[in-house]
Amino acid sequence: MNRFDMGTYDIIVVGAGHAGCEAGLAAARMGKKTLMLSINLEAVAMMACNPSIGGTGKGHLVREIDALGGEMGLNIDKTFIQSRMLNTAKGPAVHSLRAQADKNQYHIEMKKTLEKEPLLDLKQGEAVDIIIEDGKACGVVLKTGAVYRSDAVILATGTFLGGKIFIGESVFESGPNGMAPSTELAEKLRDYGLPMRRFKTGTPARALADSFDYGKMIPQEGDEEIVPFSFMNDDLTKDQIKCWLTYTNEKTHEVIRKNFHRSALFGGQIEGVGPRYCPSIEDKIHRFADRERHQLFIEPEGLHTDEMYIQGMSSSLPEDVQEEFYKTIEGLENLKIVRPAYAIEYDCIDPLNLKINLENRSIENLFCSGQFNGSSGYEEAAAQGLMAGINAVLKLDGKEPFVLDRSEAYIGVLIDDLITKGTNEPYRIMTSRAEYRLVLRQDNADLRLTEKGHEIGLVKEDRYERFLEKKEIVEKETERLRRKVVQPEAANPILEAHGSAPLKSAQSLIEILRRPEITYDDTEEIDDSRPEMSRHQKTMMEVQIKYEGYIEKQKQQIEKFKRLENKKLDPDFDYEKIDGLRIEARQKLNQFRPLSVGQASRISGVSPADINVLLIYLEKVRRS
Ligand SMILES: Cc1cc2nc3c(=O)[nH]c(=O)nc-3n(C[C@H](O)[C@H](O)[C@H](O)COP(=O)(O)OP(=O)(O)OC[C@H]3O[C@@H](n4cnc5c(N)ncnc54)[C@H](O)[C@@H]3O)c2cc1C
């Protein structure tokens, strides 16, 4: 194949999925001339699976991406068709926003944003090779022979890389949704000795809206009051669609059990490892054999299509079996399937091979992000794309990497888990993974991150001004509530109306607000001088007041965590020198080269006793 030079960029992003979009926008918005490639421009921000953004833990990531100046939050606020705050019966640490998206609109809006970004060129083209000179990534070669040079390359190839589809006995090379796979690049990455893994994921069938019997299913409405994802939006109003809840039954389970042998999963064709937290229906029936039924949600894919997504029912069983088992479900008896369910196997890198700035350990200036890093989910992909884009820019500018640790952001938890602990299946973020989740809430993501985003040049003045205004209003109002004293005769009617114990003596408004059953809005009647506040501002203030004690306790734990995180380690140190360390620990530390004692403590195979030996050694060195 003839090769010809097609130009030079600062940064090239291979992929325009959820990771690629954030990476390319971050790089261009931080001043780098950036090229973003996609095998097919219809795959820009494509929602290959569930038509929703957010959910438990994922909603936190979207807020953090937004707070840092990323695009996902703004894009879903433009294109959502239903919005719900999940887990409101539980504490604020796990309150999670989830919005149903109009998939096509989501793609269209993101593509428009990319096309309008001054320093960003979006092009259709398949990268079949990376140019590596002196151990550094410095461009790509396309299938057409076009050569683009750059100072850094970001890989965000998703489920397309080495894509292989499984529908029962039928197996064929393909990307998602019938799009072309990225096979040549997959082979090249192996040739360059990168440690690649084989993972898989699956998606359910899509069916026509008018083939469902809604009378037999339970409607799921959106929230009356819509909470925006983006801190740049205050109030959103929209007519919301419904989703529907129904359940499998013994007949469904029987059909599937009878055909386990025809499932690509149990037939042994699939070698890739799938996500434990997102199992296929045949996997659920196999693993939870005693369960009488499994819930599934029917979700519209958009306003301009009649396709409905059958959440919770992904499968790699043959089409005829799919026809049979879907129709056993209440409300789906006359189902018209328009896209069969399938499983997809794809290549990704072993994330232990990545540095904390998502740069590859063996090829310099090659940054990695998204599903390619072993994660699963649009939000996880977007978060890594953003960090890879930011860090590619900082690397080229010779600046310190931008790192968020586990006490600062879910993004920090996600990346630290991947590159320190690794993963044996597609990694999905969850609130339970974040030990400091009471401090890492959705409502305060801007307080934790927007200042940092402004320092690195990604958060622009309009967002920064808005953030400073919020911060000031919340601080001032909290102080005012601390000083504002109310008398029992004024407060008690309201307290009794909310089933709260009456006051015996005067008390500050902040003390009253600490009561779980009393909200800031409830006390409006007895508080005549309060400022105008947006929902974002009120929510953050209320949570900070109600959970002040717990938050303080968690901050003390974070200080302890930071002490070990700030004990820096020389990445070139030879741990064979430390006698007291166990052999396994020496090997792991030399293989992994942690940047801090804190990070060393999270490497599997390094015990707390090893960390003590290390601390003693460091103290001896410091004294000598
Ligand atoms: C069938 C299926 C089921 C899924 N199920 C779930 C689920 O249940 N839960 C969940 O959380 N997530 C699921 N996902 C995953 C979710 O879609 C991904 O996590 C998310 O899309 C990853 O984003 P990404 O940007 O890393 O990659 P993608 O969105 O896959 O985008 C990859 C991009 O790279 C481009 N590309 C690839 N190779 C090349 C090349 N050589 N040259 C140029 N461009 C290239 C593609 O054109 C595309 O633009 C599923 C995905 C699929 C396909």
Side-chain angles (χ1 to χ4, degrees):
M1 170 184 59
N2 234 354
R3 291 187 174 190
F4 43 90
D5 185 29
M6 283 291 281
T8 300
Y9 288 85
D10 297 320
I11 295 175
I12 297 175
V13 181
V14 180
H18 306 278
C21 291
E22 298 296 341
L25 285 169
R29 289 169 177 172
M30 290 171 74
K32 295 301 178 201
K33 195 165 165 258
T34 304
L35 171 65
M36 187 190 295
L37 295 166
S38 182
I39 294 177
N40 183 330
L41 289 186
E42 302 326 307
V44 168
M46 178 172 76
M47 293 177 144
C49 191
N50 51 315
S52 67
I53 295 283
T56 307
K58 291 169 178 275
H60 297 68
L61 287 176
V62 182
R63 277 279 173 87
E64 293 178 359
I65 292 164
D66 184 72
L68 285 167
E71 194 64 26
M72 186 175 250
L74 290 164
N75 208 58
I76 185 63
D77 279 355
K78 288 181 210 161
T79 58
F80 78 96
I81 51 179
Q82 190 198 69
S83 173
R84 301 178 74 185
M85 184 67 82
L86 308 181
N87 306 326
T88 48
K90 300 178 183 161
V94 293
H95 288 183
S96 299
L97 202 49
R98 183 177 188 274
Q100 295 298 125
D102 181 316
K103 278 187 170 183
N104 295 336
Q105 230 27 57
Y106 190 91
H107 154 74
I108 290 167
E109 285 296 333
M110 185 63 90
K111 189 165 175 280
K112 268 198 307 194
T113 303
L114 300 178
E115 288 160 349
K116 287 194 170 43
E117 191 60 41
L119 285 175
L120 182 61
D121 288 350
L122 172 66
K123 288 192 182 199
Q124 181 156 313
E126 178 184 344
V128 292
D129 197 358
I130 299 171
I131 303 170
I132 301 169
E133 291 166 359
D134 307 326
K136 289 185 178 174
C138 47
V140 296
V141 182
L142 302 197
K143 200 168 194 127
T144 56
V147 173
Y148 290 98
R149 299 194 66 87
S150 65
D151 297 327
V153 174
I154 301 176
L155 291 179
T157 50
T159 53
F160 289 70
L161 196 69
K164 193 187 271 182
I165 300 285
F166 297 80
I167 307 178
E169 297 89 354
S170 164
V171 182
F172 51 94
E173 292 192 342
S174 171
N177 283 358
M179 290 187 174
S182 159
T183 314
E184 290 175 62
L185 183 62
E187 283 154 21
K188 284 288 178 192
L189 295 178
R190 277 195 166 76
D191 295 349
Y192 295 134
L194 294 185
M196 303 300 286
R197 311 285 303 274
R198 198 82 178 138
F199 280 0
K200 79 107 188 173
T201 187
T203 197
R206 293 358 179 231
L208 281 184
D210 60 12
S211 70
F212 289 85
D213 181 347
Y214 299 98
K216 292 184 177 170
M217 305 192 283
I218 306 157
Q220 306 283 305
E221 309 273 357
D223 289 346
E224 251 167 59
E225 195 168 357
I226 298 167
V227 179
F229 262 108
S230 177
F231 291 104
M232 296 302 281
N233 296 321
D234 274 332
D235 300 307
L236 296 174
T237 50
K238 189 174 273 188
D239 295 339
Q240 301 188 65
I241 52 91
K242 287 193 184 71
C243 296
W244 304 84
L245 169 61
T246 182
Y247 298 88
T248 63
N249 51 55
E250 191 38 46
K251 186 81 188 96
T252 321
H253 303 178
E254 197 190 306
V255 172
I256 291 175
R257 271 193 221 105
K258 209 176 57 200
N259 289 286
F260 271 165
H261 64 289
R262 297 184 60 199
S263 144
L265 187 65
F266 298 130
Q269 286 109 316
I270 295 182
E271 65 176 268
V273 185
R276 211 164 352 141
Y277 302 104
C278 235
S280 64
I281 186 62
E282 55 263 34
D283 203 7
K284 284 184 206 173
I285 289 165
H286 183 251
R287 280 167 43 192
F288 313 107
D290 57 343
R291 223 176 285 144
E292 282 173 16
R293 64 182 189 167
H294 295 275
Q295 69 178 18
L296 53 138
F297 292 95
I298 310 303
E299 303 174 351
E301 294 240 311
L303 300 177
H304 311 291
T305 169
D306 262 5
E307 288 189 53
M308 302 291 269
Y309 175 88
I310 309 175
Q311 205 247 26
M313 292 294 284
S314 69
S315 174
S316 60
L317 281 160
E319 272 194 84
D320 58 328
V321 179
Q322 293 186 26
E323 282 282 339
E324 194 183 348
F325 77 66
Y326 277 118
K327 289 182 176 168
T328 62
I329 297 168
E330 284 247 335
L332 282 65
E333 294 84 352
N334 305 309
L335 202 67
K336 286 205 189 91
I337 293 177
V338 289
R339 299 179 203 243
Y342 66 88
I344 184 166
E345 214 180 53
Y346 56 92
D347 286 336
C348 59
I349 198 164
D350 179 343
L352 291 176
N353 180 249
L354 303 176
K355 298 180 187 169
I356 198 135
N357 63 351
L358 295 183
E359 188 181 5
N360 189 277
R361 283 175 181 272
S362 32
I363 303 173
E364 198 178 337
N365 294 346
L366 179 66
F367 290 81
C368 307
S369 68
Q371 195 101 359
F372 179 73
N373 288 356
S375 67
S376 186
Y378 312 139
E379 305 79 1
E380 289 86 344
Q384 293 167 71
L386 184 74
M387 295 300 278
I390 291 170
N391 277 303
V393 171
L394 295 176
K395 175 86 190 298
L396 296 186
D397 291 348
K399 292 181 179 156
E400 282 298 303
F402 179 61
V403 175
L404 296 168
D405 71 32
R406 307 180 69 85
S407 70
E408 293 166 326
Y410 271 83
I411 296 175
V413 173
L414 165 65
I415 293 176
D416 184 63
D417 279 351
L418 284 172
I419 69 152
T420 308
K421 302 175 186 169
T423 183
N424 292 323
E425 61 178 87
Y427 174 102
R428 187 195 180 296
I429 197 77
M430 292 178 285
T431 48
S432 56
R433 294 189 192 275
E435 53 273 40
Y436 307 116
R437 56 184 164 277
L438 186 54
V439 168
L440 304 184
R441 303 181 317 275
Q442 291 189 125
D443 60 85
N444 70 353
D446 53 350
L447 199 65
R448 293 181 278 118
L449 301 174
T450 297
E451 190 81 56
K452 293 176 188 288
H454 189 248
E455 278 157 18
I456 57 171
L458 187 52
V459 165
K460 305 307 175 192
E461 291 319 308
D462 57 345
R463 180 182 286 275
Y464 192 54
E465 292 304 320
R466 207 181 153 86
F467 158 68
L468 291 177
E469 190 195 317
K470 173 185 174 183
K471 195 161 169 273
E472 191 188 349
I473 286 179
V474 169
E475 281 166 4
K476 274 203 180 132
E477 181 58 0
T478 305
E479 278 325 299
R480 190 187 68 81
L481 294 171
R482 214 181 286 284
R483 290 192 308 275
K484 171 90 180 173
V485 176
V486 287
Q487 303 304 325
E489 49 283 4
N492 286 349
I494 292 175
L495 297 179
E496 277 146 22
H498 290 87
S500 193
L503 294 182
K504 292 196 179 61
S505 58
Q507 197 172 61
S508 70
L509 254 181
I510 203 166
E511 277 315 313
I512 291 176
L513 264 181
R514 291 194 204 291
R515 299 178 178 210
E517 62 277 11
I518 303 295
T519 69
Y520 178 69
D521 290 345
D522 296 338
T523 59
E524 189 154 9
E525 272 170 56
I526 52 175
D527 182 15
D528 46 16
S529 52
R530 55 180 51 183
E532 270 298 305
M533 292 181 84
S534 72
R535 155 151 297 286
H536 285 305
Q537 294 163 347
K538 283 182 195 168
T539 306
M540 186 172 86
M541 181 182 71
E542 259 182 346
V543 174
Q544 284 179 177
I545 289 172
K546 288 183 185 300
Y547 292 82
E548 193 169 15
Y550 300 104
I551 292 171
E552 276 320 305
K553 221 186 261 127
Q554 194 141 93
K555 284 187 176 163
Q556 285 155 20
Q557 293 163 352
I558 289 173
E559 265 166 41
K560 208 156 147 250
F561 160 81
K562 290 262 187 202
R563 274 200 291 280
L564 283 187
E565 282 311 286
N566 296 335
K567 272 199 186 313
K568 299 301 176 195
L569 293 170
D570 170 1
D572 304 322
F573 180 76
D574 178 5
Y575 291 91
E576 288 302 333
K577 288 189 185 144
I578 308 181
D579 295 343
L581 275 181
R582 289 171 316 109
I583 293 170
E584 185 194 5
R586 291 183 208 178
Q587 289 165 345
K588 281 285 176 76
L589 291 169
N590 274 338
Q591 177 215 340
F592 188 81
R593 310 229 146 270
L595 297 176
S596 69
V597 175
Q599 199 179 20
S601 69
R602 294 189 292 278
I603 297 170
S604 66
V606 177
S607 70
D610 295 315
I611 293 299
N612 282 341
V613 170
L614 189 55
L615 287 170
I616 293 165
Y617 176 85
L618 291 172
E619 187 54 21
K620 241 195 264 156
V621 172
R622 192 184 65 77
R623 289 220 183 117
S624 65

